[in-house]
Amino acid sequence: MTTDDSHHDDASPDEDCRQSGAQWRESDSPLRADGGTEAEGADEATLDPWGSSTIADYRKLFEQFGIEEFDDLLPEVPNPHYLMRRGVIFGHRDYRPVADAMRTGDDFAALSGFMPTGDPHIGHKLVFDEIIWHQQQGGDAYALIADLEAHSARGLTWDEIDEHATNYVLSLLALGFDPEDGTLYRQSDNREVQDLAFELGAEANFSELQAIYDFDGETDVSHMQSVVTQMADILYPQLDEPKPTVIPVGPDQDPHMRLARDLAARMRYFGVTEAFASFEADAAERTLLRQAYDAREEYAEEPDRPRCGEAADWLRENRQAPGDALVSVTAKLDEAGKEPLRPRIRFLDRNATDGAFEALIEAIDGEKRVYDEHIDTFDLDHAEAEELAREVELDTGGYGFLPPSSIYHRFMTGLTGGKMSSSIPASHISLLDDPAEGYDKVKSATTGGRTTAEEQREKGGKADECPVYELYAYLLSGDDDEFATEVYEECVGGERLCGGCKEQAAELIEDFLEDHQEKREEWADKLDDLDIDLDSDRKRSGAD
């Protein structure tokens, strides 16, 4: 969930993405940006929050990890950010509740964390911009310094952490974060986050962390603690009240999001699901039960009151199912015998106190059946039941967490080609670089140009493989899609040559850095007024 400069800006879109990434979606659609060239050694199958692997094929994230394509959701997002319009934000996990809240004016939140392991650079700016944009759309914005993670997972001293944390905060403010309307904090100073992490830790175990993060017997306990602290960060915006919450991240952080969504569900007092009889059924079995119920006119002696045994016979004769679902569900139906097959909504007791379970029984109107570990209701639909379960949970001391959402942006290519790495200064532009140095880095950057000017004019440049074009698409064009399109079309059409293109980009980078650093200086004089302590007490206690 946190951004740090060891891996955040790796680059590796696939060839198909390069062919189509910067094209128009339709004749009047915004420009789509690409993620640059594939880095050697890219690993398309592993997502490692602390590693340095790149993503060779973004499409595999949809297939292997269930990340959804942002394009499909874009029409539902009010006033979408240019990173969304250009496809830099390419995927999401359950972002629709956030988009719905924007449209309806309901509460929502956005949060991201920054691991202070080095200077903030243009890769981090993507996340800064996403948090700021959500704040401008009316969301509660949270930005945190992941100092506990930096200390445990990266081994930084508290002096180093404080220096880097200050630089991150200054750049965030200079780019437009409103501290009066948002929340800034550092993990080590937020007792609510630490207390929530303790509670979440009771729902996770070492085997799970080992499977997700490849932890082993050599992994520090503090490193494992930093994981549950990040889970607490992700859910922190919902401590006062449940609300749709989005975490903007690179795809390498998706393991954190999957675990956070699982833990949010495990913390709930009640689960809400569909059921058809007194026995429990998994998702595959429920699909078959629904089919049997819908076909009751074909087999039931009394179609208004189909029996479980009748449904079992019909399923065996008429349906096939993957795995053991058909065998298991028909066995359950046989055992239920003459019990009626009847749709209902089931409240499952997950972590409810006795008082909460009794309160839910009292709150359910209409026909209901009460069992030791669940309650069946016949007069509520699923959405109504979810709302009621959350309401009772909150009234009886629970959290009522909504599953957190996430959006994923492409990694940027290094200016020298391949990975953008903090260990290779020429590959990235730090937000602290002297403007003249930023100018020189762009002028020295690799391009997607042809061997000669004549060949460029004849065949056009390879904008989709050009780190300099990425600067235009991700940063230099700002909200001006027309300008980004012009640069792209002039390049691929052979009108724009690399020398002039780099000169223009270098001048724009220089101007951006000058403006950004002036704003940083203005904020530096106001840091003491912020509700965040950038001088850790831990170093004075000998924690280093």
Side-chain angles (χ1 to χ4, degrees):
M1 186 272 295
T2 51
T3 297
D4 79 291
D5 37 276
S6 66
H7 60 274
H8 177 72
D9 296 306
D10 301 345
S12 51
D14 59 278
E15 183 64 27
D16 287 347
C17 287
R18 285 200 291 269
Q19 294 299 323
S20 63
Q23 306 297 319
W24 293 94
R25 186 181 296 104
E26 297 173 357
S27 59
D28 60 346
S29 297
L31 190 71
R32 302 299 308 280
D34 176 61
T37 56
E38 179 177 328
E40 184 178 354
D43 182 355
E44 70 270 25
T46 301
L47 295 178
D48 181 1
W50 297 288
S52 57
S53 63
T54 56
I55 309 301
D57 187 341
Y58 284 101
R59 291 171 304 178
K60 290 186 181 295
L61 300 179
F62 306 135
E63 299 164 7
Q64 292 180 261
F65 299 102
I67 292 174
E68 303 172 77
E69 295 190 51
F70 200 87
D71 253 6
D72 297 338
L73 183 62
L74 187 62
E76 301 177 40
V77 180
N79 185 32
H81 192 275
Y82 71 81
L83 293 173
M84 298 173 176
R85 301 196 305 266
R86 295 175 196 161
V88 177
I89 294 173
F90 70 92
H92 74 99
R93 197 178 284 284
D94 197 25
Y95 187 70
R96 187 164 278 104
V98 178
D100 290 345
M102 286 185 204
R103 287 198 311 274
T104 59
D106 292 336
D107 291 340
F108 69 95
L111 174 145
S112 200
F114 305 95
M115 189 166 19
T117 57
D119 291 343
H121 51 66
I122 56 174
H124 301 116
K125 183 181 180 295
L126 296 180
V127 183
F128 291 152
D129 286 345
E130 291 170 64
I131 291 293
I132 292 165
W133 177 81
H134 282 94
Q135 184 180 48
Q136 292 169 345
Q137 307 315 302
D140 298 326
Y142 295 76
L144 68 105
I145 298 298
D147 55 352
L148 294 178
E149 184 184 3
H151 190 58
S152 63
R154 295 291 185 192
L156 269 73
T157 69
W158 292 102
D159 282 325
E160 292 171 326
I161 288 169
D162 286 351
E163 178 184 355
H164 296 318
T166 299
N167 283 326
Y168 276 81
V169 169
L170 282 174
S171 282
L172 177 68
L173 295 168
L175 290 167
F177 184 88
D178 183 353
E180 294 185 3
D181 195 36
T183 301
L184 284 170
Y185 71 91
R186 54 191 301 165
Q187 290 173 327
S188 61
D189 287 342
N190 192 321
R191 184 53 191 262
E192 286 184 308
V193 164
Q194 294 175 44
D195 288 347
L196 178 57
F198 184 85
E199 299 293 335
L200 293 172
E203 296 295 330
N205 58 56
F206 175 74
S207 295
E208 183 173 35
L209 298 185
Q210 184 180 40
I212 296 171
Y213 302 110
D214 201 27
F215 288 164
D216 58 28
E218 300 300 315
T219 304
D220 292 342
V221 173
S222 62
H223 193 172
M224 290 184 274
Q225 276 186 292
S226 76
V227 171
V228 291
T229 302
Q230 288 187 73
M231 301 302 102
D233 288 324
I234 291 170
L235 296 172
Y236 178 58
Q238 298 192 57
L239 269 186
D240 290 338
E241 61 171 337
K243 69 185 96 173
T245 301
V246 60
I247 316 298
V249 289
D252 55 343
Q253 301 296 296
D254 185 58
H256 290 322
M257 293 308 307
R258 282 178 276 151
L259 178 57
R261 289 172 63 85
D262 284 347
L263 290 177
R266 292 178 211 168
M267 294 293 287
R268 294 295 308 278
Y269 279 3
F270 306 104
V272 177
T273 188
E274 186 180 30
F276 291 85
S278 59
F279 56 78
E280 296 296 328
D282 62 23
E285 292 170 337
R286 288 196 299 271
T287 297
L288 292 169
L289 290 169
R290 168 55 68 184
Q291 292 172 0
Y293 181 78
D294 289 344
R296 61 193 181 277
E297 295 282 350
E298 299 179 22
Y299 63 81
E301 185 175 334
E302 298 178 63
D304 291 339
R305 194 177 174 81
R307 305 293 182 173
C308 288
E310 294 175 313
D313 292 339
W314 182 85
L315 284 171
R316 275 189 286 261
E317 294 174 6
N318 294 277
R319 286 293 181 268
Q320 294 181 345
D324 298 327
L326 182 60
V327 173
S328 61
V329 78
T330 51
K332 292 175 182 179
L333 287 166
D334 285 336
E335 186 175 350
K338 293 186 177 181
E339 178 185 341
L341 188 70
R342 184 183 178 192
R344 78 283 306 269
I345 294 295
R346 176 163 295 166
F347 296 91
L348 300 169
D349 183 353
R350 285 179 172 165
N351 295 299
T353 62
D354 291 342
F357 194 75
E358 292 298 325
L360 181 60
I361 295 172
E362 292 297 320
I364 298 172
D365 293 328
E367 185 182 356
K368 56 194 168 190
R369 300 281 187 274
V370 179
Y371 302 87
D372 287 343
E373 295 184 349
H374 69 262
I375 308 165
D376 288 352
T377 177
F378 299 88
D379 298 321
L380 293 175
D381 63 28
H382 196 279
E384 292 169 335
E386 285 278 12
E387 184 178 350
L388 180 62
R390 181 170 284 107
E391 182 181 306
V392 170
E393 179 175 345
L394 292 171
D395 288 345
T396 54
Y399 294 106
F401 290 133
L402 293 168
S405 309
S406 47
I407 52 177
Y408 302 94
H409 53 257
R410 297 177 185 270
F411 295 130
M412 292 185 73
T413 314
L415 295 177
T416 52
K419 284 176 52 178
M420 181 177 286
S421 171
S422 59
S423 63
I424 307 174
S427 75
H428 73 276
I429 294 173
S430 166
L431 297 178
L432 309 185
D433 277 346
D434 182 274
E437 183 180 0
Y439 174 94
D440 290 339
K441 286 182 178 181
V442 176
K443 288 288 287 183
S444 301
T446 300
T447 72
R450 304 289 180 174
T451 305
T452 65
E454 290 73 17
E455 186 182 5
Q456 177 103 346
R457 292 190 181 97
E458 178 185 352
K459 298 180 179 179
K462 300 177 183 178
D464 299 295
E465 301 178 16
C466 181
V468 175
Y469 172 69
E470 277 188 32
L471 290 177
Y472 284 102
Y474 286 50
L475 170 64
L476 301 178
S477 298
D479 207 42
D480 190 346
D481 290 332
E482 186 175 340
F483 175 48
T485 303
E486 178 183 295
V487 173
Y488 181 85
E489 292 184 342
E490 287 180 357
C491 174
V492 298
E495 302 170 50
R496 177 175 283 253
L497 300 182
C498 293
C501 187
K502 287 206 290 187
E503 174 64 31
Q504 184 180 23
E507 291 175 359
L508 290 171
I509 279 288
E510 187 173 30
D511 291 343
F512 164 75
L513 289 173
E514 287 177 353
D515 178 67
H516 180 69
Q517 289 168 19
E518 286 176 6
K519 291 175 180 175
R520 280 174 54 93
E521 290 176 8
E522 293 172 5
W523 274 107
D525 296 331
K526 298 182 281 187
L527 279 183
D528 289 342
D529 298 331
L530 299 180
D531 189 22
I532 183 172
D533 187 358
L534 294 170
D535 188 19
S536 174
D537 293 334
R538 292 173 177 247
K539 59 190 176 185
R540 289 193 289 273
S541 65
D544 285 341

Coordinates of all heavy atoms in Angstrom, one line a residue, residues 370-438:
V370 N -34.4 -18.6 13.6 CA -33.2 -18.4 14.4 C -32.6 -19.7 14.7 O -33.2 -20.6 15.2 CB -33.6 -17.6 15.7 CG1 -32.3 -17.4 16.5 CG2 -34.3 -16.3 15.4
Y371 N -31.3 -19.8 14.4 CA -30.5 -21.0 14.7 C -29.3 -20.6 15.6 O -29.2 -19.4 15.9 CB -29.9 -21.6 13.4 CG -31.0 -22.0 12.4 CD1 -31.5 -21.0 11.5 CD2 -31.6 -23.3 12.4 CE1 -32.5 -21.4 10.6 CE2 -32.6 -23.6 11.5 CZ -33.0 -22.7 10.6 OH -34.0 -23.0 9.7
D372 N -28.5 -21.5 16.0 CA -27.4 -21.2 16.9 C -26.4 -20.2 16.3 O -25.9 -19.3 17.0 CB -26.6 -22.5 17.3 CG -27.4 -23.4 18.2 OD1 -28.4 -22.9 18.8 OD2 -27.1 -24.6 18.3
E373 N -26.1 -20.3 15.0 CA -25.0 -19.5 14.4 C -25.5 -18.8 13.2 O -24.7 -18.2 12.5 CB -23.8 -20.4 14.1 CG -23.1 -21.0 15.3 CD -21.9 -21.8 14.9 OE1 -21.7 -22.0 13.7 OE2 -21.2 -22.1 15.9
H374 N -26.8 -18.7 12.9 CA -27.3 -17.9 11.8 C -28.8 -17.6 12.0 O -29.4 -18.3 12.8 CB -27.0 -18.5 10.5 CG -27.7 -19.8 10.1 ND1 -27.2 -21.0 10.3 CD2 -29.0 -19.9 9.6 CE1 -28.1 -21.9 9.9 NE2 -29.2 -21.3 9.5
I375 N -29.2 -16.6 11.3 CA -30.6 -16.2 11.3 C -31.1 -16.2 9.8 O -30.4 -15.5 9.0 CB -30.8 -14.9 11.9 CG1 -30.2 -14.8 13.3 CG2 -32.3 -14.5 12.0 CD1 -30.0 -13.4 13.9
D376 N -32.2 -16.8 9.5 CA -32.7 -16.7 8.1 C -33.9 -15.7 8.1 O -34.8 -15.8 9.0 CB -33.2 -18.1 7.7 CG -32.0 -19.0 7.3 OD1 -30.9 -18.5 7.3 OD2 -32.3 -20.2 7.1
T377 N -34.0 -14.9 7.1 CA -35.1 -14.0 7.0 C -35.7 -14.1 5.6 O -34.9 -14.3 4.6 CB -34.6 -12.5 7.2 OG1 -35.7 -11.6 7.0 CG2 -33.5 -12.1 6.3
F378 N -37.0 -13.9 5.5 CA -37.7 -14.2 4.2 C -38.3 -12.9 3.6 O -38.9 -13.0 2.5 CB -38.7 -15.3 4.4 CG -38.2 -16.6 4.9 CD1 -38.0 -16.8 6.2 CD2 -37.8 -17.5 4.0 CE1 -37.5 -18.0 6.7 CE2 -37.3 -18.8 4.4 CZ -37.2 -19.0 5.7
D379 N -38.1 -11.8 4.3 CA -38.7 -10.6 3.8 C -37.8 -9.4 3.5 O -38.2 -8.3 3.3 CB -39.7 -10.1 4.9 CG -40.8 -11.1 5.2 OD1 -41.3 -11.7 4.2 OD2 -41.2 -11.3 6.3
L380 N -36.5 -9.7 3.4 CA -35.5 -8.7 3.1 C -34.7 -9.1 1.9 O -34.4 -10.3 1.7 CB -34.4 -8.5 4.3 CG -34.9 -8.0 5.6 CD1 -33.8 -8.0 6.6 CD2 -35.4 -6.5 5.4
D381 N -34.3 -8.1 1.0 CA -33.4 -8.5 0.0 C -32.0 -8.3 0.5 O -31.7 -7.9 1.6 CB -33.6 -7.6 -1.3 CG -33.4 -6.1 -1.1 OD1 -32.6 -5.7 -0.2 OD2 -34.0 -5.3 -1.8
H382 N -31.0 -8.7 -0.4 CA -29.6 -8.7 0.1 C -29.1 -7.3 0.5 O -28.5 -7.2 1.6 CB -28.7 -9.2 -1.0 CG -27.4 -9.7 -0.6 ND1 -26.3 -8.8 -0.4 CD2 -26.9 -10.9 -0.3 CE1 -25.3 -9.5 0.0 NE2 -25.6 -10.8 0.1
A383 N -29.4 -6.3 -0.2 CA -28.9 -4.9 0.1 C -29.5 -4.5 1.4 O -28.8 -3.9 2.3 CB -29.3 -4.0 -1.0
E384 N -30.8 -4.7 1.6 CA -31.5 -4.3 2.9 C -30.8 -5.1 4.1 O -30.6 -4.5 5.2 CB -33.0 -4.6 2.8 CG -33.7 -3.7 1.8 CD -35.1 -4.2 1.6 OE1 -35.4 -5.4 1.8 OE2 -36.0 -3.4 1.2
A385 N -30.5 -6.4 3.8 CA -29.9 -7.2 4.9 C -28.5 -6.7 5.3 O -28.2 -6.6 6.4 CB -29.9 -8.6 4.5
E386 N -27.7 -6.3 4.2 CA -26.4 -5.8 4.5 C -26.5 -4.5 5.3 O -25.7 -4.3 6.2 CB -25.7 -5.5 3.1 CG -25.2 -6.7 2.4 CD -23.8 -7.2 2.9 OE1 -23.4 -6.7 4.0 OE2 -23.2 -8.1 2.3
E387 N -27.4 -3.6 4.9 CA -27.5 -2.4 5.7 C -28.0 -2.6 7.1 O -27.4 -2.0 8.0 CB -28.6 -1.5 4.9 CG -28.7 -0.1 5.6 CD -29.7 0.8 4.8 OE1 -30.1 0.3 3.7 OE2 -30.1 1.8 5.3
L388 N -28.9 -3.5 7.3 CA -29.3 -3.8 8.7 C -28.2 -4.4 9.5 O -28.0 -4.1 10.7 CB -30.5 -4.8 8.6 CG -31.1 -5.1 10.0 CD1 -31.7 -3.9 10.7 CD2 -32.2 -6.2 9.8
A389 N -27.5 -5.4 8.9 CA -26.4 -6.0 9.6 C -25.3 -5.0 10.1 O -24.8 -5.0 11.2 CB -25.7 -7.1 8.8
R390 N -25.0 -4.1 9.2 CA -24.0 -3.0 9.5 C -24.5 -2.1 10.6 O -23.8 -1.7 11.5 CB -23.6 -2.3 8.2 CG -22.5 -1.2 8.5 CD -22.0 -0.6 7.2 NE -21.0 -1.6 6.6 CZ -21.3 -2.3 5.5 NH1 -22.5 -2.2 4.9 NH2 -20.4 -3.2 5.0
E391 N -25.8 -1.7 10.5 CA -26.4 -0.8 11.5 C -26.4 -1.4 12.9 O -26.0 -0.8 13.8 CB -27.8 -0.5 11.0 CG -28.6 0.4 11.9 CD -30.0 0.6 11.4 OE1 -30.2 1.0 10.2 OE2 -31.0 0.4 12.2
V392 N -26.8 -2.7 13.0 CA -26.7 -3.4 14.3 C -25.3 -3.5 14.8 O -25.0 -3.3 16.0 CB -27.4 -4.8 14.2 CG1 -27.2 -5.6 15.4 CG2 -28.9 -4.6 13.9
E393 N -24.4 -3.8 13.9 CA -23.0 -4.0 14.3 C -22.4 -2.7 14.9 O -21.8 -2.6 15.9 CB -22.1 -4.4 13.1 CG -20.6 -4.5 13.4 CD -19.8 -5.1 12.2 OE1 -20.5 -5.6 11.3 OE2 -18.6 -5.0 12.3
L394 N -22.7 -1.6 14.2 CA -22.2 -0.3 14.7 C -22.9 0.1 16.0 O -22.2 0.7 16.9 CB -22.5 0.8 13.6 CG -21.7 0.7 12.4 CD1 -22.2 1.7 11.3 CD2 -20.2 1.0 12.6
D395 N -24.2 -0.2 16.2 CA -24.9 0.1 17.4 C -24.4 -0.7 18.6 O -24.6 -0.3 19.7 CB -26.4 -0.1 17.2 CG -27.0 0.9 16.3 OD1 -26.4 2.0 16.1 OD2 -28.2 0.7 15.8
T396 N -23.7 -1.9 18.3 CA -23.3 -2.7 19.4 C -21.8 -2.8 19.5 O -21.3 -3.8 20.0 CB -23.9 -4.2 19.2 OG1 -23.6 -4.6 17.9 CG2 -25.4 -4.1 19.3
G397 N -21.1 -1.8 19.0 CA -19.7 -1.7 19.2 C -18.8 -2.2 18.2 O -17.5 -2.3 18.4
G398 N -19.3 -2.7 17.0 CA -18.4 -3.2 15.9 C -18.0 -2.1 15.0 O -18.3 -0.9 15.1
Y399 N -17.1 -2.5 14.0 CA -16.6 -1.5 13.1 C -17.5 -1.3 11.8 O -17.6 -0.2 11.3 CB -15.2 -2.0 12.6 CG -14.1 -2.0 13.7 CD1 -13.7 -3.2 14.2 CD2 -13.6 -0.8 14.1 CE1 -12.7 -3.2 15.2 CE2 -12.6 -0.8 15.1 CZ -12.2 -2.0 15.6 OH -11.2 -2.1 16.6
G400 N -18.1 -2.4 11.3 CA -18.9 -2.3 10.1 C -18.1 -1.9 8.9 O -18.7 -1.3 8.0
F401 N -16.9 -2.4 8.8 CA -16.0 -2.0 7.6 C -16.6 -2.3 6.3 O -17.2 -3.4 6.1 CB -14.7 -2.6 7.7 CG -13.8 -2.1 8.8 CD1 -13.1 -3.0 9.7 CD2 -13.6 -0.8 9.1 CE1 -12.3 -2.6 10.7 CE2 -12.8 -0.3 10.1 CZ -12.2 -1.2 10.9
L402 N -16.5 -1.4 5.3 CA -16.8 -1.7 3.9 C -15.4 -2.2 3.3 O -14.4 -1.8 3.8 CB -17.2 -0.5 3.2 CG -18.6 0.1 3.5 CD1 -18.7 1.5 2.9 CD2 -19.7 -0.8 3.1
P403 N -15.5 -3.1 2.4 CA -14.2 -3.6 1.8 C -13.5 -2.4 1.1 O -14.2 -1.7 0.2 CB -14.6 -4.7 0.8 CG -16.1 -4.5 0.6 CD -16.6 -3.8 1.8
P404 N -12.3 -2.1 1.3 CA -11.6 -1.0 0.7 C -11.4 -1.2 -0.8 O -11.2 -2.4 -1.2 CB -10.3 -0.9 1.4 CG -10.0 -2.3 1.9 CD -11.4 -2.8 2.3
S405 N -11.4 -0.2 -1.6 CA -11.2 -0.2 -3.0 C -9.8 0.2 -3.4 O -9.1 0.8 -2.5 CB -12.2 0.7 -3.7 OG -13.6 0.5 -3.3
S406 N -9.4 -0.1 -4.6 CA -8.1 0.4 -5.0 C -8.1 0.7 -6.5 O -8.9 0.2 -7.3 CB -7.0 -0.7 -4.8 OG -7.5 -2.0 -5.2
I407 N -7.2 1.6 -6.9 CA -7.0 1.9 -8.3 C -5.5 1.7 -8.6 O -4.7 1.9 -7.7 CB -7.5 3.3 -8.8 CG1 -6.9 4.4 -7.8 CG2 -9.0 3.4 -8.8 CD1 -7.3 5.8 -8.3
Y408 N -5.1 1.3 -9.8 CA -3.8 0.9 -10.1 C -3.3 1.7 -11.3 O -3.9 1.8 -12.4 CB -3.7 -0.6 -10.5 CG -4.2 -1.5 -9.3 CD1 -5.6 -1.9 -9.3 CD2 -3.4 -1.8 -8.3 CE1 -6.0 -2.6 -8.2 CE2 -3.9 -2.6 -7.2 CZ -5.2 -3.0 -7.2 OH -5.7 -3.7 -6.2
H409 N -2.1 2.3 -11.2 CA -1.5 3.0 -12.3 C -0.3 2.3 -12.9 O 0.4 1.5 -12.2 CB -1.1 4.4 -11.8 CG -0.2 4.4 -10.6 ND1 -0.7 4.8 -9.4 CD2 1.1 4.1 -10.5 CE1 0.3 4.7 -8.5 NE2 1.4 4.3 -9.1
R410 N 0.0 2.5 -14.1 CA 1.2 2.0 -14.8 C 2.4 2.5 -14.2 O 2.5 3.6 -13.7 CB 1.1 2.3 -16.3 CG -0.1 1.7 -17.0 CD -0.1 2.1 -18.5 NE -1.3 1.6 -19.2 CZ -1.4 0.4 -19.8 NH1 -0.3 -0.4 -19.8 NH2 -2.5 0.1 -20.3
F411 N 3.5 1.7 -14.3 CA 4.8 2.2 -13.8 C 5.4 3.0 -15.0 O 5.1 2.8 -16.1 CB 5.7 1.0 -13.6 CG 5.3 0.2 -12.4 CD1 5.2 -1.2 -12.5 CD2 4.9 0.7 -11.2 CE1 4.8 -2.0 -11.4 CE2 4.6 0.0 -10.1 CZ 4.5 -1.4 -10.2
M412 N 6.2 3.9 -14.6 CA 6.9 4.8 -15.5 C 8.3 4.1 -15.9 O 8.9 3.4 -15.1 CB 7.2 6.2 -15.0 CG 6.0 7.0 -14.8 SD 6.3 8.7 -14.2 CE 6.9 9.4 -15.8
T413 N 8.7 4.4 -17.2 CA 10.0 3.9 -17.6 C 11.1 4.9 -17.2 O 10.8 6.1 -17.1 CB 10.0 3.9 -19.2 OG1 8.8 3.3 -19.6 CG2 11.2 3.1 -19.7
G414 N 12.2 4.4 -16.9 CA 13.4 5.2 -16.6 C 13.8 6.1 -17.8 O 13.6 5.6 -19.0
L415 N 14.3 7.2 -17.6 CA 14.8 8.1 -18.6 C 15.9 7.5 -19.5 O 16.1 7.8 -20.6 CB 15.2 9.4 -18.1 CG 14.2 10.3 -17.4 CD1 14.8 11.6 -16.8 CD2 13.1 10.6 -18.4
T416 N 16.6 6.5 -18.9 CA 17.6 5.8 -19.6 C 17.2 4.5 -20.2 O 17.9 3.7 -20.7 CB 18.8 5.5 -18.6 OG1 18.3 4.8 -17.4 CG2 19.5 6.8 -18.1
G417 N 15.8 4.3 -20.2 CA 15.3 3.0 -20.7 C 15.2 2.0 -19.6 O 15.9 2.1 -18.6
G418 N 14.3 1.0 -19.7 CA 14.2 0.0 -18.7 C 13.6 0.6 -17.4 O 12.7 1.5 -17.4
K419 N 14.1 0.1 -16.3 CA 13.5 0.5 -15.0 C 13.9 1.9 -14.6 O 15.0 2.4 -14.9 CB 14.1 -0.4 -13.9 CG 13.5 -1.8 -13.8 CD 14.2 -2.6 -12.7 CE 14.3 -1.9 -11.4 NZ 14.9 -2.7 -10.4
M420 N 12.9 2.6 -13.9 CA 13.3 3.8 -13.3 C 13.7 3.4 -11.9 O 13.0 2.8 -11.1 CB 12.1 4.8 -13.2 CG 12.3 6.1 -12.5 SD 10.9 7.2 -12.5 CE 10.9 7.7 -14.2
S421 N 14.9 3.8 -11.5 CA 15.5 3.3 -10.2 C 16.1 4.5 -9.5 O 16.8 5.3 -10.1 CB 16.5 2.2 -10.5 OG 17.2 1.9 -9.3
S422 N 15.9 4.5 -8.2 CA 16.5 5.6 -7.3 C 18.0 5.4 -7.3 O 18.7 6.3 -7.0 CB 15.9 5.5 -5.9 OG 16.1 4.3 -5.3
S423 N 18.5 4.2 -7.5 CA 19.9 4.0 -7.5 C 20.6 4.4 -8.8 O 21.8 4.4 -8.9 CB 20.2 2.5 -7.2 OG 19.7 1.7 -8.3
I424 N 19.8 4.8 -9.8 CA 20.4 5.3 -11.0 C 19.8 6.7 -11.2 O 18.7 6.9 -11.8 CB 20.0 4.4 -12.2 CG1 20.3 3.0 -12.0 CG2 20.6 4.9 -13.5 CD1 19.9 2.0 -13.1
P425 N 20.5 7.7 -10.7 CA 20.0 9.1 -10.7 C 19.5 9.6 -12.1 O 18.6 10.3 -12.2 CB 21.2 9.9 -10.2 CG 22.0 9.0 -9.4 CD 21.8 7.7 -10.0
A426 N 20.3 9.1 -13.2 CA 19.9 9.6 -14.5 C 18.6 9.0 -15.0 O 18.0 9.5 -15.9 CB 21.0 9.2 -15.5
S427 N 18.1 8.0 -14.3 CA 16.9 7.3 -14.8 C 15.6 8.0 -14.3 O 14.5 7.7 -14.8 CB 16.9 5.8 -14.3 OG 16.6 5.8 -12.9
H428 N 15.7 8.9 -13.3 CA 14.5 9.5 -12.8 C 14.8 11.0 -12.5 O 15.9 11.4 -12.4 CB 14.1 8.8 -11.5 CG 15.0 9.1 -10.3 ND1 16.1 8.4 -10.1 CD2 14.9 10.0 -9.3 CE1 16.7 8.8 -9.0 NE2 16.0 9.8 -8.5
I429 N 13.7 11.7 -12.3 CA 13.8 13.1 -11.9 C 13.2 13.2 -10.5 O 12.0 13.0 -10.3 CB 13.0 14.0 -12.9 CG1 13.7 13.9 -14.3 CG2 12.9 15.4 -12.4 CD1 12.9 14.6 -15.4
S430 N 14.1 13.6 -9.6 CA 13.6 13.9 -8.2 C 12.9 15.2 -8.2 O 13.3 16.1 -8.9 CB 14.8 13.9 -7.3 OG 14.5 14.4 -6.1
L431 N 11.9 15.3 -7.3 CA 11.2 16.6 -7.1 C 12.1 17.6 -6.4 O 11.8 18.7 -6.3 CB 9.9 16.3 -6.4 CG 8.9 15.5 -7.0 CD1 7.7 15.3 -6.2 CD2 8.5 16.0 -8.4
L432 N 13.3 17.1 -6.0 CA 14.3 18.0 -5.3 C 15.4 18.3 -6.3 O 16.3 19.1 -5.9 CB 14.8 17.3 -4.1 CG 13.8 16.8 -3.1 CD1 14.5 16.2 -1.8 CD2 12.8 17.8 -2.7
D433 N 15.4 17.8 -7.5 CA 16.5 18.1 -8.4 C 16.6 19.6 -8.7 O 15.5 20.3 -8.8 CB 16.3 17.4 -9.7 CG 16.8 15.9 -9.7 OD1 17.5 15.6 -8.8 OD2 16.4 15.2 -10.6
D434 N 17.8 20.1 -8.8 CA 17.9 21.5 -9.4 C 17.3 21.5 -10.7 O 17.4 20.6 -11.5 CB 19.4 21.8 -9.5 CG 19.6 23.2 -9.9 OD1 19.6 23.4 -11.2 OD2 19.8 24.1 -9.1
P435 N 16.5 22.6 -11.0 CA 15.8 22.6 -12.3 C 16.7 22.4 -13.5 O 16.4 21.8 -14.5 CB 15.2 24.0 -12.3 CG 14.9 24.3 -10.8 CD 16.1 23.7 -10.1
A436 N 17.9 23.0 -13.4 CA 18.9 22.8 -14.5 C 19.3 21.3 -14.6 O 19.5 20.8 -15.8 CB 20.1 23.7 -14.3
E437 N 19.4 20.6 -13.5 CA 19.7 19.2 -13.6 C 18.6 18.4 -14.2 O 18.8 17.5 -15.0 CB 20.0 18.7 -12.2 CG 20.5 17.2 -12.1 CD 20.8 16.7 -10.7 OE1 20.6 17.5 -9.8 OE2 21.1 15.5 -10.6
G438 N 17.4 18.8 -13.9 CA 16.2 18.1 -14.5 C 16.2 18.4 -16.0 O 15.9 17.4 -16.8

